[in-house]
Amino acid sequence: MTLNKKNSINNILEESRIFPPSKEFSKNALIKDFKELIKLKEAAKKDSNKFWDDYAKSEIDWFEPYQTVLDDKNAPFFKWFPEGKLNISYNCIDRHIKNGLSDKTALIWQGEPGDDKTFTYSELLEEVCKTANGLKSIGVKKGDLVCIYMPMIPEAMFAMLACARIGAQHSVVFGGFSSESLKERLIDGNAKFVITADGGYRKDKEIELKNAVDLALEAGANEIVEKVIVVQRIKKEIYMDSSRDLWWHELLQNQDKWCEPEIMNSEDRLFVLYTSGSTGKPKGVVHTTAGYNLWSHLTFKWVFDIKKDDIYWCTADVGWITGHSYIVYGPLSNGATTLMYEGVPRASNLGAFWEVIQKYKVTIFYTAPTAIRSFMKSGREIPDKYDLSSLRLLGTVGEPINPEAWIWYKNVIGKDKCPIVDTWWQTETGGIMVSPLPGAVNAKPGSATFSLPGIEVSIVNKDGEEVNSNEGGYLIVKKPWPGMMRTIHGDPDRFKKSYWEFFPMKDKKYVYFAGDGARIDSDGYLWIMGRVDDVISVSGHRLGTMEIESALVSHESVAEAAVVGRKDSIKGESIVAFVSLEKNFQKSLNLINELKQHVVNEIGIIAKPEKIIISDALPKTRSGKIMRRILRSLASGQKISGDISTLEDSSVLEKLKEDS
Ligand code: WTA
């Protein structure tokens, strides 16, 4: 065993230790060895149409067949299985009931205050149908957009599947976003309906979701939103507008337990999910029915190697893509048992996750590196108190995992017997793109290893030319895949330009640019090096620096703002903002706190800057561009290196150093 401690660009240790899966694991795995994986990858490369066609036919139930696999006539607006007809809620529920799984547990839900519930597939069908009928009864129609702003309760899943059942699009907004962010998303998506709750629990506190909806509506969304459905969760007295607001339990009380699934075209929209990019405004990523169904289904099956008795738990929130693909659609489409947990580990219960694993004998556990790093920090004594022997497979998502955290996860949580799948993907990709297949790939800690069958990735320079092995560059996907985003809601041009026309096109071929830097080592393993655009990742939450800057500048005291990420040993990155003030304002601790709170109000708690530095001037080039490279060095306390000759006024640097 050798450990090569050379630092790579983003301070991740380069690792050459290799961890093969146990023979036992491989023997029982769906894809049992590397040769089998290579065979699949080659088959996909040789005849990608046949590859996708075979899987679409064998894994998805269609109401009417498609004739075309991939329609690339209007590239990069690719269409998949365009003539096909299906319904994803049928594929997630009804077909399993037809196959004898009525009494299998579909959903295990653990509430934060200790309450819990389970739903079998037939109970899930009933709940989804009642919800679907309830939505229809208030006028929700095929194609309408329904915003779901909810805590992690079963009703969030029912609401998503009910929308899918009647052909409405859902737009789930994470409950940690502020009323202002919610308003933006309601208006951008033209959401006529909102489903929310009287409140939710977050780290021993109550969050006022309905109140945030009221504020978003008052602030302008009332011109669009017609009805608000409210789930009673925390039983708090809240304001209800009798002409607009309805209680979920009253609406569903007398609804029929059966609702015919709407017949959807493959390319009908399933959902819009907002994510941060490098502009000030979040973008609504659009996913459609068939391609997303196939990709979330297939990746779940391959990567999590699902078996019929597995108890699978993904700790994400349904407000993120990970929750969409790997709490709801992927697991249910496979007829698996998926666990949903309302809480998060918190000071009063650091063992919360391990308690859940012990209680339900969870076999597959999928979480974020940030969580693992914070568990590491609080010591192995905590997980060691619990029985984690049911676990057989572990996963990570959302940000690079450093080898130390990987090894800790493997030893302390996985007791050295569980393979780890480090899964790289994005809101835009719909499902996992790069990950070890757990029975087939020898893992290297910190590497997401290889792209999945059907996905061809490469590392290129700014001219779009492939770089040598071990050289860093831009990560691209060379061919379209079924789960790819179809467009940005309301901005197809941005979709085309920023994702598919980023590099000069070679041979008129479109390649997808992910926004990440990466390198491929001499063994062919892929190492993600982090974002190359103005997107930062704080505890695995994706945030645009410009979004935070816009929020700051909207405060009356702020003249200019520049936001950068600073390395953080737990959160991956934390937010540092440099701010210059308008003339009549004075620097003070109070103002700094006010500005932090202002960002929380504008975006949400996840965007709260860790540090705000007020300075008279920001470093700019002669053409007026803020030199973020300098700010990044200052924020992380590093020496300013590289060329500073383009700086307009070099005295700014001294001033900034004093202020930092
Ligand atoms: C980052 C989350 C390293 C990456 C599913 C990507 C990762 C962004 C990994 C997408 C990983 C995700 N290793 N980085 N395993 N997984 N990322 O849209 O920068 O919230 O572009 O989707 O997270 O974030 P998003």
Side-chain angles (χ1 to χ4, degrees):
M1 253 199 257
T2 53
L3 177 66
N4 176 359
K5 280 212 166 195
K6 206 169 72 193
N7 261 350
S8 72
I9 296 179
N10 62 342
N11 278 336
I12 289 182
L13 291 176
E14 256 181 46
E15 265 281 345
S16 47
R17 273 185 284 183
I18 287 181
F19 293 79
S22 68
K23 286 211 174 67
E24 181 69 14
F25 192 99
S26 293
K27 195 175 82 198
N28 297 315
L30 178 69
I31 295 162
K32 297 178 170 35
D33 60 30
F34 197 60
K35 269 196 239 137
E36 214 178 307
L37 168 62
I38 295 298
K39 233 164 94 185
L40 269 177
K41 282 175 78 91
E42 273 168 7
K45 209 167 171 176
K46 209 170 123 212
D47 189 348
S48 61
N49 255 30
K50 178 173 181 335
F51 178 82
W52 294 119
D53 187 30
D54 287 350
Y55 278 113
K57 288 204 173 104
S58 62
E59 301 293 329
I60 300 296
D61 283 24
W62 300 87
F63 296 150
E64 279 176 39
Y66 54 86
Q67 280 89 49
T68 317
V69 174
L70 170 64
D71 172 356
D72 58 3
K73 285 196 287 292
N74 191 24
F77 299 94
F78 298 99
K79 290 183 180 157
W80 286 88
F81 320 110
E83 309 83 1
K85 303 221 185 301
L86 74 166
N87 185 298
I88 195 170
S89 89
Y90 179 92
N91 278 318
C92 285
I93 317 173
D94 308 49
R95 66 165 166 172
H96 306 311
I97 294 173
K98 291 202 168 117
N99 291 333
L101 296 183
S102 304
D103 297 330
K104 178 170 179 175
T105 303
L107 172 65
I108 298 173
W109 173 76
Q110 176 64 52
E112 155 100 24
D115 46 346
D116 56 31
K117 281 181 192 163
T118 59
F119 298 85
T120 62
Y121 271 93
S122 59
E123 287 164 343
L124 178 63
L125 181 64
E126 249 183 59
E127 296 294 339
V128 170
C129 285
K130 279 196 299 188
T131 312
N133 288 328
L135 291 176
K136 277 185 173 174
S137 75
I138 58 163
V140 182
K141 299 207 167 50
K142 186 172 177 174
D144 281 347
L145 190 126
V146 178
C147 173
I148 298 174
Y149 183 62
M150 285 170 97
M152 286 282 285
I153 53 177
E155 288 82 353
M157 177 186 273
F158 306 156
M160 290 166 79
L161 290 163
C163 286
R165 196 159 188 94
I166 63 173
Q169 311 170 54
H170 55 70
S171 161
V172 186
V173 175
F174 173 56
F177 278 121
S178 68
S179 59
E180 194 54 36
S181 289
L182 176 66
K183 180 196 86 181
E184 266 180 36
R185 287 157 172 78
L186 290 171
I187 293 176
D188 187 82
N190 195 27
K192 287 198 227 152
F193 305 91
V194 180
I195 307 178
T196 188
D198 55 351
Y201 302 104
R202 200 155 268 270
K203 294 201 174 170
D204 299 325
K205 282 202 203 116
E206 288 180 356
I207 49 167
E208 298 180 337
L209 292 165
K210 171 61 166 59
N211 190 35
V213 173
D214 291 340
L215 292 173
L217 264 57
E218 264 168 46
N222 54 351
E223 305 209 343
I224 298 165
V225 174
E226 293 169 10
K227 294 277 177 226
V228 178
I229 304 170
V230 188
V231 178
Q232 202 168 39
R233 172 60 185 139
I234 63 171
K235 305 221 160 62
K236 209 181 156 119
E237 188 106 355
I238 51 160
Y239 169 74
M240 293 287 278
D241 177 327
S242 58
S243 65
R244 185 196 69 197
D245 302 341
L246 301 125
W247 285 107
W248 168 287
H249 57 273
E250 288 176 9
L251 179 68
L252 266 56
Q253 212 167 28
N254 297 316
Q255 297 298 341
D256 202 285
K257 290 177 184 160
W258 170 249
C259 171
E260 197 66 30
E262 194 72 32
I263 300 200
M264 303 300 287
N265 290 328
S266 291
E267 284 295 341
D268 280 341
R269 283 181 174 205
L270 176 62
F271 64 83
V272 178
L273 182 59
Y274 287 84
T275 190
S276 295
S278 45
T279 68
K281 202 170 157 268
K283 46 196 174 189
V285 169
V286 173
H287 282 286
T288 57
T289 305
Y292 177 83
N293 193 164
L294 177 62
W295 194 228
S296 56
H297 173 97
L298 205 52
T299 50
F300 181 79
K301 184 170 175 157
W302 282 339
V303 175
F304 297 108
D305 193 53
I306 197 75
K307 303 276 181 275
K308 81 178 195 328
D309 296 326
D310 272 321
I311 307 289
Y312 161 87
W313 179 23
C314 163
T315 66
D317 191 286
V318 287
W320 309 115
I321 191 70
T322 309
H324 282 57
S325 302
Y326 301 112
I327 293 177
V328 182
Y329 293 112
L332 295 178
S333 181
N334 279 278
T337 300
T338 181
L339 193 149
M340 187 191 241
Y341 176 46
E342 191 185 26
V344 285
R346 52 207 178 275
S348 62
N349 188 0
L350 289 171
F353 277 0
W354 321 128
E355 207 174 286
V356 173
I357 292 177
Q358 175 176 278
K359 176 170 173 187
Y360 295 105
K361 299 193 168 41
V362 170
T363 58
I364 305 174
F365 180 61
Y366 189 34
T367 195
T370 295
I372 299 163
R373 287 191 293 263
S374 74
F375 298 140
M376 246 174 111
K377 195 175 158 208
S378 35
R380 68 173 295 160
E381 310 76 67
I382 299 169
D384 279 351
K385 279 191 225 136
Y386 298 87
D387 178 7
L388 306 180
S389 60
S390 55
L391 289 171
R392 65 176 199 91
L393 176 60
L394 304 173
T396 72
V397 59
E399 41 174 336
I401 179 161
N402 45 317
E404 299 92 318
W406 195 99
I407 301 277
W408 188 90
Y409 196 28
K410 175 106 182 153
N411 289 339
V412 177
I413 307 304
K415 312 294 177 207
D416 279 330
K417 71 175 198 302
C418 306
I420 296 180
V421 287
D422 172 356
T423 62
W424 176 85
W425 60 294
Q426 310 176 296
T427 307
E428 294 88 335
T429 67
I432 297 168
M433 302 291 276
V434 180
S435 167
L437 293 190
V441 171
N442 297 339
K444 287 190 190 181
S447 166
T449 75
F450 304 99
S451 61
L452 297 184
I455 304 298
E456 286 175 44
V457 297
S458 182
I459 314 294
V460 299
N461 63 20
K462 63 177 186 342
D463 299 319
E465 296 155 352
E466 283 195 14
V467 302
N468 295 324
S469 71
N470 272 321
E471 232 176 86
Y474 301 100
L475 174 60
I476 58 159
V477 184
K478 295 205 278 192
K479 282 184 182 167
W481 66 100
M484 56 174 272
M485 75 188 284
R486 296 303 194 261
T487 189
I488 293 175
H489 178 73
D491 199 351
D493 206 44
R494 187 167 163 206
F495 164 74
K496 195 170 172 205
K497 292 212 170 88
S498 55
Y499 294 99
W500 296 94
E501 291 179 352
F502 188 81
F503 299 105
M505 286 218 298
K506 300 253 151 53
D507 314 322
K508 294 199 182 143
K509 269 177 102 174
Y510 278 104
V511 298
Y512 171 85
F513 173 48
D516 280 289
R519 78 184 160 85
I520 293 180
D521 72 16
S522 38
D523 299 327
Y525 282 65
L526 188 104
W527 300 78
I528 302 287
M529 292 170 7
R531 300 288 302 196
V532 294
D533 52 9
D534 295 324
V535 170
I536 54 178
S537 167
V538 181
S539 300
H541 297 143
R542 178 169 159 181
L543 291 161
T545 50
M546 273 187 64
E547 261 173 83
I548 307 169
E549 288 163 7
S550 310
L552 284 163
V553 174
S554 72
H555 191 273
E556 53 171 3
S557 69
V558 177
E560 257 187 320
V563 166
V564 295
R566 171 169 72 181
K567 288 256 158 312
D568 183 288
S569 63
I570 305 281
K571 293 192 264 184
E573 281 182 292
S574 66
I575 301 166
V576 178
F578 292 83
V579 160
S580 66
L581 297 180
E582 293 284 3
K583 276 199 192 71
N584 305 326
F585 289 87
Q586 294 296 317
K587 178 173 167 175
S588 73
L589 194 59
N590 271 350
L591 180 59
I592 288 179
N593 288 335
E594 191 179 320
L595 289 177
K596 286 185 181 174
Q597 189 53 42
H598 182 68
V599 176
V600 174
N601 297 344
E602 288 293 302
I603 303 176
I605 187 74
I606 54 170
K608 185 173 180 176
E610 175 119 335
K611 191 170 177 186
I612 294 186
I613 296 159
I614 297 183
S615 187
D616 286 348
L618 300 174
K620 286 191 187 156
T621 60
R622 288 184 188 93
S623 58
K625 271 179 98 174
I626 294 179
M627 294 179 76
R628 288 162 190 286
R629 178 171 54 84
I630 291 180
L631 295 178
R632 268 193 286 269
S633 305
L634 275 175
S636 53
Q638 285 164 354
K639 250 181 66 195
I640 294 163
S641 55
D643 185 15
I644 53 164
S645 61
T646 48
L647 198 61
E648 186 196 22
D649 172 5
S650 55
S651 70
V652 167
L653 272 191
E654 287 314 308
K655 187 88 196 46
L656 262 172
K657 277 189 208 153
E658 275 168 35
D659 292 330
S660 301

